[in-house]
Amino acid sequence: MDFYDGNMELKEIQTLEGHTDRVWSLAWNPATGTSDIPPVLASCSGDKTVRIWEQTPSNRLWHCKAVLEETHTRTVRSCAWSPSGKLLATGSFDATTAIWENIGGDFECVATLEGHENEVKSVSWNASGSLLATCSRDKTVWIWEVMPGNEFECVSVLQGHTQDVKMVKWHPTMDVLFSCSYDNTVKVWAEDGTGDWHCVQTLGESNNGHSSTVWALSFNAEGDRMVTCSDDLTIKIWETDVGRMELGDDHAPWNHLCTLSGYHDRTIFSVHWSREGIIASGAADDGLRFFVESKDGLVDGPLYKLLLKREKAHNMDINSVQWGPGETRQLASTSDDGTIKIWELASLT
Amino acid sequence: MVSGLINANPVIYEKKERRVRSSPTVGDDEYAAEPIDQLEVFDILFNFFFKDIKDPEHPYSLEELKVITEDAIEVDDKHSYVRVTFTPTVEHCSMATVIGLCLRVKLMRSLPQRYKVDIKVAPGTHATEAAVNKQLNDKERVAAALENPNLVDMVDECLAPSYA
């Protein structure tokens, strides 16, 4: 697929209102958004609640389907659907992770994962849904194994970051875990074959990494490239040899490919890579940016160029951007202004 | 908690006379966004704000201790931006993050939502300047701190009017 300058436009589809405090994060349910199942997403907020939103097929308008409250006692910072879309994990500043299941149309909290000393900042399921990772201000990353009967057993506590861990994310196809931190680094964690997890690589300032807090990371569909964003106002693209990884070499190193700077002028909180290769970013400058690989400069290796930008996409900081699972290029963004916005990136005809 | 004062004998400065701001002229359109100029922010900050923010350790206001001076406030209304640079009373002041948190909370409560605020320690005035600055400008850390009842009590106490 080719993207040409100026042939795309960003349409604002709808603003979802309901949260009474900043909206931190959101997650599209991966089992929805098909021809017969309307898209569903979950959002979480400083108002201590999680909201479930669904698009009505007849008029394509979004509505709030459920409010998950009275479980977390502080800010709900992060949420993630299991790959099957049946379970929702939510991480909170109350130091717990809650697991919710949709039982007959009602969401019930079926498990509470305790262990972190303080704020849980991010949760992530692996590709098969058998493992869940959580991270915290306590500088640790925990890996939980999903057992029958909604039991979760902690199989590893990963120590290595020297400051709070902002986000955890599993590789899209392999059981390799990535974490990014207030200590300015990204760490890669892999299992050694005996059940022990180790840090196999640290991407820091000395290997072209970030010079301030790394807030988020995301992978391309093939899983051989990763994008990271930071308080240093840059976005960085990293590359690995996915062939080596698939042959079972979890230690295939990640190398810096390029740095995108000068596009945001305040902290970049979120990046997300779409299946067809468009990187979206959202920042504390209230703006959205979209990047695609440029085919022009192949002599010097692949580069990424700005496809589109939207200033003042929200009235306040943008905390999260996430592409939807459906066929259309839908994106949702969350903000300190208390809203979620649904966008569509459309081709100009 | 802190036992014993970190800076037992702070230097107290006279409060500065303020310029008087002419009342804004009422425009034809009462719904038009009213721009915020530097003097207005000074008014918010000094007359209603810094005057009343107390050093967590002392009954004096931050202005009297020269933790904040007028020159240390930059306002760019066009870009909805405020930067406050403060000077901790001693180089190792462990209250620096609490003072910074008080400044941020007061500005959050006083300025329109569109404002972006940076709070910084004046260069060379604190032993762990970079760490303090990083923490004060990490909104996730600030949000978590403001859910901590002990810290909120401390901030509210600092922001309480003096009635002096």
Side-chain angles (χ1 to χ4, degrees):
Chain A
M1 160 154 296
D2 268 330
F3 301 105
Y4 300 101
D5 291 321
N7 75 339
M8 307 288 279
E9 66 167 337
L10 185 68
K11 290 183 187 164
E12 188 174 329
I13 304 295
Q14 198 179 336
T15 301
L16 312 186
E17 293 174 331
H19 282 297
T20 57
D21 200 327
R22 71 157 57 97
V23 189
W24 276 110
S25 184
L26 80 104
W28 295 79
N29 186 322
T32 66
T34 57
S35 55
D36 46 355
I37 306 171
V40 168
L41 61 84
S43 61
C44 59
S45 161
D47 68 10
K48 306 178 181 120
T49 73
V50 176
R51 281 176 176 260
I52 310 291
W53 309 83
E54 185 181 56
Q55 193 184 47
T56 310
S58 55
N59 57 14
R60 298 181 57 78
L61 286 176
W62 289 80
H63 64 277
C64 180
K65 204 180 160 193
V67 181
L68 282 46
E69 54 194 343
E70 288 165 6
T71 294
H72 287 301
T73 56
R74 292 181 56 186
T75 284
V76 188
R77 175 65 181 88
S78 167
C79 54
W81 295 95
S82 62
S84 67
K86 292 197 169 79
L87 298 176
L88 178 71
T90 56
S92 166
F93 284 1
D94 68 13
T96 71
T97 301
I99 308 294
W100 306 79
E101 188 176 356
N102 186 345
I103 300 170
D106 284 326
F107 283 86
E108 287 179 26
C109 177
V110 294
T112 304
L113 281 47
E114 294 175 356
H116 281 295
E117 283 172 29
N118 48 42
E119 298 95 86
V120 177
K121 305 206 169 200
S122 174
V123 291
S124 175
W125 300 87
N126 70 341
S128 68
S130 61
L131 298 171
L132 179 74
T134 59
C135 64
S136 162
R137 183 164 65 85
D138 68 13
K139 305 172 189 171
T140 65
V141 173
W142 290 43
I143 297 177
W144 309 79
E145 193 175 336
V146 186
M147 313 294 277
N150 288 323
E151 293 286 326
F152 289 76
E153 186 185 323
C154 176
V155 293
S156 196
V157 175
L158 310 178
Q159 290 171 324
H161 282 296
T162 59
Q163 296 285 344
D164 32 332
V165 188
K166 293 299 195 187
M167 189 189 204
V168 279
K169 192 91 181 165
W170 289 95
H171 186 271
T173 58
M174 280 166 288
D175 284 344
V176 178
L177 182 66
F178 294 72
S179 58
C180 56
S181 165
Y182 189 89
D183 70 11
N184 308 350
T185 70
V186 177
K187 283 183 180 285
V188 188
W189 310 86
E191 203 234 54
D192 62 5
T194 66
D196 286 333
W197 290 80
H198 299 281
C199 176
V200 294
Q201 195 180 4
T202 300
L203 305 172
E205 204 173 353
S206 58
N207 29 27
N208 293 315
H210 291 288
S211 59
S212 189
T213 303
V214 188
W215 279 94
L217 64 95
S218 177
F219 295 93
N220 66 347
E222 295 75 25
D224 61 349
R225 286 188 189 171
M226 170 174 71
V227 60
T228 55
C229 66
S230 167
D231 180 56
D232 69 9
L233 310 186
T234 71
I235 292 168
K236 287 178 185 280
I237 316 276
W238 308 81
E239 189 175 42
T240 192
D241 183 345
V242 80
R244 271 179 67 185
M245 283 184 90
E246 279 166 355
L247 287 171
D249 182 4
D250 295 335
H251 300 227
W254 289 79
N255 297 306
H256 174 261
L257 192 63
C258 65
T259 298
L260 306 172
S261 53
Y263 293 104
H264 284 289
D265 57 18
R266 292 188 71 80
T267 306
I268 308 167
F269 289 121
S270 186
V271 278
H272 195 221
W273 211 319
S274 78
R275 281 172 312 286
E276 57 176 345
I278 306 173
I279 298 169
S281 64
D285 60 12
D286 310 347
L288 293 171
R289 302 285 182 271
F290 298 88
F291 303 91
V292 287
E293 188 172 354
S294 163
K295 307 287 185 193
D296 309 335
L298 280 177
V299 182
D300 306 318
L303 293 168
Y304 285 78
K305 65 176 181 186
L306 185 73
L307 174 71
L308 197 77
K309 63 178 178 176
R310 171 68 67 99
E311 312 284 359
K312 295 282 156 213
H314 279 272
N315 293 327
M316 296 175 74
D317 293 9
I318 296 172
N319 297 318
S320 181
V321 288
Q322 295 290 315
W323 291 100
E327 292 297 308
T328 56
R329 292 194 196 107
Q330 287 208 322
L331 180 91
S333 58
T334 67
S335 167
D336 279 1
D337 68 16
T339 70
I340 300 140
K341 285 190 180 182
I342 310 288
W343 309 85
E344 191 171 318
L345 194 58
S347 303
L348 287 173
T349 47
Chain B
M1 280 305 300
V2 184
S3 61
L5 297 181
I6 292 161
N7 184 8
N9 296 298
V11 182
I12 315 301
Y13 298 87
E14 292 249 352
K15 289 193 195 182
K16 206 170 162 185
E17 279 292 311
R18 300 279 162 241
R19 286 169 285 172
V20 179
R21 184 170 181 265
S22 55
S23 40
T25 48
V26 179
D28 294 332
D29 181 2
E30 60 179 307
Y31 297 108
E34 192 189 323
I36 291 186
D37 62 18
Q38 198 165 31
L39 203 49
E40 180 168 345
V41 173
F42 287 156
D43 281 351
I44 297 173
L45 298 186
F46 286 104
N47 293 344
F48 304 110
F49 168 16
F50 288 133
K51 180 180 76 182
D52 291 329
I53 296 187
K54 281 169 274 181
D55 186 306
E57 282 207 320
H58 300 286
Y60 307 109
S61 75
L62 296 188
E63 190 196 359
E64 287 165 302
L65 293 165
K66 279 233 161 133
V67 170
I68 301 288
T69 62
E70 196 172 305
D71 309 332
I73 296 163
E74 287 171 53
V75 181
D76 180 347
D77 183 67
K78 188 163 161 266
H79 298 100
S80 304
Y81 179 69
V82 172
R83 178 160 63 192
V84 178
T85 308
F86 71 101
T87 305
T89 45
V90 289
E91 225 175 87
H92 297 275
C93 183
S94 61
M95 301 307 281
T97 45
V98 178
I99 292 172
L101 198 59
C102 291
L103 297 173
R104 181 167 287 285
V105 169
K106 187 63 191 183
L107 284 173
M108 267 162 49
R109 291 178 186 169
S110 310
L111 289 172
Q113 283 193 340
R114 65 186 161 90
Y115 264 85
K116 306 290 182 186
V117 177
D118 285 334
I119 311 268
K120 299 241 150 109
V121 172
T125 63
H126 196 274
T128 56
E129 180 185 323
V132 172
N133 286 342
K134 190 169 185 180
Q135 189 161 6
L136 285 174
N137 293 291
D138 181 311
K139 76 172 186 187
E140 192 184 41
R141 289 253 187 136
V142 170
L146 295 178
E147 290 184 357
N148 176 333
N150 297 331
L151 263 175
V152 170
D153 284 352
M154 199 186 275
V155 167
D156 282 340
E157 198 177 314
C158 293
L159 294 176
S162 58
Y163 303 112

